[in-house]
């Protein structure tokens, strides 16, 4: 009952604040900056109380996201100084990728004694992945061309992540020495070259997902060929590692509200509140494309395979919330 009342108070407060913001944005009413600031932090207080009442991680993430906007608006210097918190969260997320991919893939392959069955599952999965990804690309292209989200954004002043070093310079030199008609051949073979890691530790450090996947698959197949007595300790280890990494992910998610809020505060404090219009358009386009992908691709596949949709939705609630919180911001 108390949650319902708190939810109603929150809804009313946010609605009134939104009406005030719209009136000010369209110059219908000329509110003073101090009044607008007071309204923002009143809403912030209500949102924090609502988050304490609900005790829900998703609620906390959304609340901290809005708080980050308020901090970026009213205290831009403090907001910019919060960037290390968002970078720290991103670093924590990156630590998950390598171990969890390695553990789950090796256990999934080596845990089955029948490699033929694993092979059949693999090619069917690859075929599904190829078809679904192709559909997703066309749906995404259609959505972004429809909304034109991101047009007019000045990316020169936006923060950029440093990319890991690649073979780009050497490839450019080689391509310059080859005739144009063989460039596609070289690029195609270079793609396969970059699939294989020269050092698995370096691949994990650089977060090279495809290299980790290739190594894990080959390692899992090799482990599956080993005698049961020698295979079992490593299989048990990868099973334990995968379970541990899932718990590790749950622990990291408790830091997600702080990381997301700090990232939003830095974005608004560094680039101004106007950037949120473009980001909102990009986000709306993303969800438009996702809804189209769900309805046009995933739902027909689930119905064809007779997958219980409601149970499936309940099962993926946590991974979806993790994906929402850990998307690059």
């Amino acid at each position: 009952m108390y949650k319902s009342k708190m939810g109603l108070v929150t809804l009313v407060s946010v609605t009134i604040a939104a009406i005030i913001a719209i009136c000010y944005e369209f110059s219908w009413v000329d509110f003073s900056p101090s009044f607008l600031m007071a309204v923002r932090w009143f809403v912030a207080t209500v949102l924090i109380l609502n988050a304490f009442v609900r005790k829900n991680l998703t609620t906390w993430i959304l609340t901290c996201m809005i708080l980050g906007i308020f901090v970026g608006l009213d205290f831009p210097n403090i907001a910019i100084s919060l960037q290390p918190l968002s970078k720290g969260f991103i670093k924590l997320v990156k630590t998950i990728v390598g171990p969890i991919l390695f553990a789950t893939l090796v256990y999934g392959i080596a845990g089955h004694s029948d490699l033929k069955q694993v092979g059949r599952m693999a090619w069917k999965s690859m075929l599904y992945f190829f078809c679904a990804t192709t559909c997703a690309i066309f749906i995404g292209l259609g959505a972004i061309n429809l909304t034109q989200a991101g047009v007019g954004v000045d990316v020169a002043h936006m923060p950029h992540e440093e990319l890991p070093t690649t073979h780009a310079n050497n490839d450019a030199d080689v391509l310059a020495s080859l005739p144009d008609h063989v460039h596609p051949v070289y690029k195609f073979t270079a793609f396969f070259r970059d699939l294989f890691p020269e050092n698995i530790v370096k691949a994990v450090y650089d977060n090279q997902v495809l290299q980790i996947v290739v190594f894990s698959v080959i390692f899992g197949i090799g482990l599956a060929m080993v005698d049961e007595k020698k295979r079992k300790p490593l299989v048990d280890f990868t099973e334990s590692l995968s379970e541990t990494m899932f718990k590790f992910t749950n622990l990291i998610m408790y830091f997600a509200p702080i990381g997301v809020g700090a990232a939003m505060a830095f974005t608004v404090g560094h680039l101004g509140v106007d950037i949120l219009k473009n980001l909102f358009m990009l986000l709306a386009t993303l969800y438009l494309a996702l809804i189209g992908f769900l309805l046009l691709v995933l739902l027909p596949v689930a119905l064809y395979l007779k997958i219980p949709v409601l149970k499936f939705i309940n099962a993926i609630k946590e991974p979806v919330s993790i994906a929402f919180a850990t998307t690059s911001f």
Side-chain angles (χ1 to χ4, degrees):
M1 186 68 181
Y2 186 66
K3 285 184 179 181
S4 300
K5 290 182 178 178
M6 193 66 221
L8 181 61
V9 171
T10 304
L11 179 62
V12 171
S13 302
V14 171
T15 302
I16 294 173
I19 293 171
I20 292 173
I22 291 171
C23 291
Y24 179 78
E25 182 69 22
F26 289 97
S27 301
W28 296 339
V29 182
D30 188 18
F31 296 108
S32 66
S34 57
F35 173 76
L36 293 173
M37 184 176 178
V39 170
R40 282 195 292 270
W41 290 103
F42 173 76
V43 171
T45 304
V46 173
L47 289 174
I48 292 171
L49 291 174
N50 179 63
F52 272 114
V53 169
R54 294 192 176 277
K55 298 177 182 179
N56 181 277
L57 182 60
T58 304
T59 304
W60 270 112
I61 290 172
L62 294 173
T63 299
C64 289
M65 190 181 298
I66 297 172
L67 289 179
I69 296 173
F70 293 167
V71 172
L73 278 170
D74 298 326
F75 310 102
N77 292 328
I78 294 176
I80 293 173
S81 67
L82 294 177
Q83 188 188 22
L85 291 176
S86 64
K87 286 188 173 292
F89 178 59
I90 293 173
K91 284 184 176 181
L92 280 174
V93 172
K94 287 181 177 179
T95 61
I96 302 170
V97 178
I100 205 167
L101 274 176
F102 174 79
T104 52
L105 285 172
V106 172
Y107 176 70
I109 295 171
H112 290 78
S113 57
D114 187 1
L115 279 179
K116 290 183 178 179
Q117 183 182 3
V118 174
R120 286 193 295 270
M121 291 173 60
W123 77 259
K124 289 179 181 178
S125 300
M126 289 299 295
L127 178 62
Y128 167 76
F129 176 78
F130 176 79
C131 295
T133 304
T134 303
C135 293
I137 289 171
F138 283 107
I139 291 173
L141 286 173
I144 197 67
N145 281 285
L146 177 66
T147 62
Q148 295 291 310
V151 173
V153 177
D154 183 12
V155 297
H157 297 92
M158 298 185 72
H160 298 283
E161 291 287 332
E162 287 188 13
L163 297 176
T165 56
T166 63
H167 300 277
N169 292 332
N170 291 333
D171 289 344
D173 294 337
V174 175
L175 288 171
S177 65
L178 292 174
D180 292 343
H181 68 276
V182 296
H183 284 191
V185 178
Y186 181 83
K187 291 177 181 179
F188 183 74
T189 54
F191 169 75
F192 281 97
R193 175 202 64 200
D194 294 336
L195 286 178
F196 303 104
E198 56 181 327
N199 186 322
I200 185 57
V201 177
K202 184 176 182 296
V204 173
Y205 173 78
D206 291 336
N207 206 27
Q208 297 288 340
V209 175
L210 283 176
Q211 292 184 4
I212 298 170
V213 168
V214 169
F215 176 85
S216 302
V217 169
I218 296 174
F219 186 90
I221 293 172
L223 184 61
M225 295 178 176
V226 177
D227 293 337
E228 174 67 23
K229 184 178 179 181
K230 297 178 180 179
R231 180 174 74 238
K232 192 174 187 303
L234 269 177
V235 172
D236 291 341
F237 167 74
T238 53
E239 181 183 13
S240 178
L241 179 60
S242 64
E243 292 291 333
T244 303
M245 289 310 300
F246 281 117
K247 299 299 182 184
F248 181 81
T249 303
N250 290 335
L251 291 175
I252 286 177
M253 287 307 298
Y254 287 112
F255 186 64
I258 298 174
V260 172
M264 187 60 73
F266 171 76
T267 301
V268 176
H270 180 61
L271 299 172
V273 71
D274 289 339
I275 192 65
L276 293 181
K277 297 175 183 177
N278 301 102
L279 293 177
F280 176 77
M281 281 297 297
L282 285 170
L283 188 64
T285 302
L286 168 65
Y287 284 108
L288 175 66
L290 286 176
I291 291 171
F293 182 71
L294 287 171
L295 295 178
L296 300 176
V297 179
L298 293 187
L299 182 60
V301 170
L303 294 175
Y304 176 76
L305 297 176
K306 297 180 180 179
I307 297 174
V309 177
L310 293 179
K311 290 183 179 179
F312 179 75
I313 292 173
N314 289 328
I316 65 170
K317 278 183 180 178
E318 184 178 355
V320 167
S321 65
I322 293 173
F324 173 77
T326 57
T327 301
S328 297
F329 27 71

